[in-house]
Amino acid sequence: MNRIIQARRIFDGEKFINAPLVIEIKDHYFSSISTGIVPEAHEQYDFIMPALTESHCHLFLDGDELDSSRRKAYLAQNADAMLETGKNNILKYQKSGISTVRDAGDAWGVNLRLREYAKEHGFQVVCAGKAIRKQGRYGSFMAGEVSGVEDIASSVSEIAKSADCIKIVLSGIIDFANARVKGEPQFTHEELDLLVKCAKDYGLKTFAHCSGVDGLELAVNSGIDSIEHGFFMNEKILEQMGTKNIAWVPTFVPVEFQAREPQHAGWDENTVKKLREILDNHSNMLKYALRNGVRVMAGSDGGSFGVRHGHGLHEELQLMHNTGMSEEEVLASACSVPQKHFGLKGGFIRPGYRANFISFNPLSSG
């Protein structure tokens, strides 16, 4: 179906264009864009922009659930029940103006099943399948295990049969009370290099759950494609990321939620202070990242404790803006930047890109 849209102004995925535009859509793609006014346009809007992309979430988790015992019990359910949760979360994303998510993995492969469901409902899921963690280490709910170099190649080969990317759990969780990452990095330099190499052999990008300087340095030296979370980041690491074209998904929201509503996690005043210190450093590092050419992608870690699917990404964008990111930088981090990184054809309102867009203030409809 061909459509002609009149828009008073747009965000094209990278910049605002404050002029009346005539936008033609053919076969679900933007085919032409020109300045001017066409009274006979099928649809007229005050403003349109590309639909948003969430760069880090877990569709199978329920971000609305704040009771820790019920969250733990949920992981004992079967995959079919988790699938239904994921379907509901996709609907929440769609209602929030989000058309694409990158799912960061689950141990049951629910995200792979949701990818097929999503296609039927005009939604797109970029899947990690099962993430990869070191045997006995953090991440059992989202990852399969490898014991070392001897079984890395076979594990990546198995995941690559169905996944769109390879997720590596490189560090443990954060000890918020003491403002540090628990434990040493899960993989050695040799093991991480092999993980990245094997993924590249299958043409797949890698992304690492990683916080703490030791893990971040390993990730950067291995040539990982993107770093997720990245708490306790420093300037030297960001400079290397800019040089090596490594993207960053900062995920402010999960830590911000615990600082803002500490009663749900049982944090005391001292821990809240530590949380705020962690967030302050994160904000400063985000500013430094932008000055050094690091590609920043917006991801809320939707499904994690206190992070609602859909709403979480909106909050993440606001938190990023609060650090000093411009409106264009913030919107690009959830439009053009992740779509280019994932090799997709959305994120822009330009000829040749998919016509997934959000409209505001419809003026008339023909």
Side-chain angles (χ1 to χ4, degrees):
M1 178 181 176
N2 296 346
R3 300 156 61 191
I4 297 177
I5 293 173
Q6 179 81 66
R8 287 181 176 174
R9 58 195 181 98
I10 71 170
F11 175 71
D12 75 348
E14 289 182 334
K15 63 183 183 299
F16 289 104
I17 300 176
N18 294 308
L21 295 168
V22 180
I23 303 165
E24 187 173 4
I25 297 172
K26 292 183 179 179
D27 299 324
H28 308 292
Y29 283 80
F30 296 115
S31 62
S32 68
I33 300 176
S34 58
T35 57
I37 296 175
V38 178
E40 65 272 21
H42 298 114
E43 301 157 46
Q44 297 184 33
Y45 299 103
D46 179 60
F47 175 72
I48 69 171
M49 61 173 285
L52 300 173
T53 296
E54 157 81 274
S55 290
H56 190 115
C57 75
H58 297 275
L59 285 169
F60 82 109
L61 289 174
D62 182 0
D64 292 306
E65 180 56 73
L66 298 179
D67 184 275
S68 58
S69 61
R70 285 197 291 267
R71 286 183 69 88
K72 183 177 180 180
Y74 173 79
L75 296 178
Q77 294 190 72
N78 61 42
D80 288 339
M82 295 175 179
L83 182 69
E84 292 306 310
T85 297
K87 289 178 180 179
N88 289 331
N89 288 333
I90 286 174
L91 180 60
K92 292 175 184 177
Y93 276 120
Q94 290 179 306
K95 289 181 176 179
S96 302
I98 298 160
S99 66
T100 304
V101 302
R102 179 177 59 172
D103 189 289
D106 67 86
W108 300 267
V110 174
N111 61 104
L112 297 171
R113 295 170 66 183
L114 287 169
R115 180 178 58 192
E116 303 311 309
Y117 170 84
K119 287 179 183 177
E120 300 170 3
H121 293 79
F123 194 76
Q124 193 163 23
V125 180
V126 178
C127 292
K130 287 185 180 181
I132 298 175
R133 67 181 176 118
K134 195 70 172 287
Q135 190 172 40
R137 297 294 300 275
Y138 166 75
S140 60
F141 70 95
M142 60 178 165
E145 294 184 329
V146 296
S147 58
V149 171
E150 62 275 10
D151 57 352
I152 284 175
S154 60
S155 294
V156 173
S157 176
E158 186 61 30
I159 294 169
K161 291 177 181 178
S162 53
D164 302 309
C165 47
I166 300 294
K167 163 79 174 292
I168 300 165
V169 185
L170 184 52
S171 66
I173 59 175
I174 299 174
D175 174 0
F176 290 118
N178 295 294
R180 63 181 180 83
V181 175
K182 291 185 177 181
E184 299 298 318
Q186 295 197 21
F187 295 99
T188 65
H189 180 74
E190 179 187 11
E191 291 167 339
L192 188 57
D193 278 357
L194 182 58
L195 279 165
V196 172
K197 178 185 180 302
C198 289
K200 287 182 178 178
D201 287 344
Y202 289 98
L204 299 180
K205 287 190 173 181
T206 51
F207 61 120
H209 165 106
C210 186
S211 290
V213 171
D214 291 344
L216 292 168
E217 288 178 344
L218 273 177
V220 169
N221 289 334
S222 74
I224 209 90
D225 291 298
S226 72
I227 289 172
E228 317 295 300
H229 318 306
F231 291 97
F232 311 108
M233 184 71 76
N234 65 35
E235 294 178 355
K236 180 180 177 181
I237 292 168
L238 286 170
E239 289 166 3
Q240 292 176 301
M241 289 173 65
T243 299
K244 294 186 175 184
N245 201 29
I246 298 171
W248 184 22
V249 184
T251 65
F252 281 87
V253 179
V255 180
E256 171 63 30
F257 172 78
Q258 294 183 61
R260 188 178 64 239
E261 301 189 40
Q263 70 276 14
H264 295 297
W267 299 135
D268 59 19
E269 185 176 335
N270 180 67
T271 302
V272 173
K273 182 181 177 182
K274 294 291 186 181
L275 288 164
R276 284 296 169 200
E277 290 173 356
I278 291 169
L279 287 165
D280 287 346
N281 180 70
H282 219 47
S283 295
N284 290 332
M285 291 302 99
L286 180 58
K287 296 173 192 175
Y288 195 83
L290 293 167
R291 292 198 298 269
N292 285 272
V294 177
R295 287 178 298 114
V296 176
M297 304 191 298
S300 71
D301 206 2
S304 64
F305 185 61
V307 186
R308 292 182 286 156
H309 293 87
H311 178 272
L313 182 62
H314 294 173
E315 184 177 0
E316 182 75 15
L317 296 176
Q318 183 61 58
L319 291 169
M320 293 165 74
H321 185 47
N322 292 348
T323 70
M325 286 182 74
S326 70
E327 290 184 5
E328 289 183 335
E329 289 171 331
V330 168
L331 292 178
S333 76
C335 292
S336 56
V337 178
Q339 287 277 321
K340 286 193 292 186
H341 184 84
F342 303 147
L344 304 177
K345 290 295 291 180
F348 284 98
I349 297 178
R350 293 177 183 174
Y353 288 87
R354 285 192 63 84
N356 290 334
F357 64 92
I358 309 168
S359 58
F360 295 83
N361 299 329
L363 302 175
S364 67
S365 180

